[in-house]
């Protein structure tokens, strides 16, 4: 289950940043996960909870925003949701000269934590 290694990497990155900022607790983490990223959101959420144990993230809420896969045809410029499995040929002209616009994301969008210097403050990461 590679979701555990992803969860551990996310927790490690946030834990390091939170400790550097002297945060006392992380309250929430917002992730964007693309439809084609190969990540099972429920498995990631379960793994995240386990990975947070005994860190400043313990008890943090994980908010997963799923991003639909979208593609664009270079010749006719039409865009469409590719679906799963992904349809990468243009539904308009049938062309195969296409590019994937979204759907492979796996990124930390924001983190909210309590700062030791200013209780109840929020820190955002991009």
């Amino acid at each position: 289950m590679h979701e555990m290694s992803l969860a551990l990497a996310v927790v490690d990155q946030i834990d390091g940043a939170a400790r550097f900022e002297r945060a006392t607790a992380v309250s929430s983490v917002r992730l964007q996960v693309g439809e084609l990223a190969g990540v099972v959101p429920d498995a990631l959420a379960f793994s995240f909870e386990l990975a947070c144990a005994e860190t400043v993230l313990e008890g943090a809420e994980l908010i997963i925003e799923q991003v639909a896969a979208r593609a664009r045809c270079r010749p006719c410029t039409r865009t469409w949701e590719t679906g799963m499995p992904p349809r990468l040929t243009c539904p308009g002209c049938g062309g195969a000269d296409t590019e994937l616009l979204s759907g492979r994301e796996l990124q930390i969008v924001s983190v909210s934590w309590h700062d030791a210097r200013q209780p109840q403050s929020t820190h955002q990461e991009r």
Side-chain angles (χ1 to χ4, degrees), residues 69-82:
R70 296 192 58 78
R72 182 179 69 189
C73 178
R74 288 186 176 106
C76 78
T77 69
R78 181 177 180 157
T79 62
W80 68 95
E81 287 193 16
T82 67

Side-chain angles (χ1 to χ4, degrees), residues 78-119:
R78 181 177 180 157
T79 62
W80 68 95
E81 287 193 16
T82 67
M84 272 305 281
R87 178 181 179 184
L88 298 177
T89 56
C90 180
C93 71
D97 185 10
T98 62
E99 66 178 315
L100 195 58
L101 300 174
S102 65
R104 292 182 291 190
E105 296 82 358
L106 181 55
Q107 61 185 1
I108 300 167
V109 176
S110 66
V111 177
S112 296
W113 63 52
H114 304 282
D115 191 313
R117 293 171 291 205
Q118 296 178 355

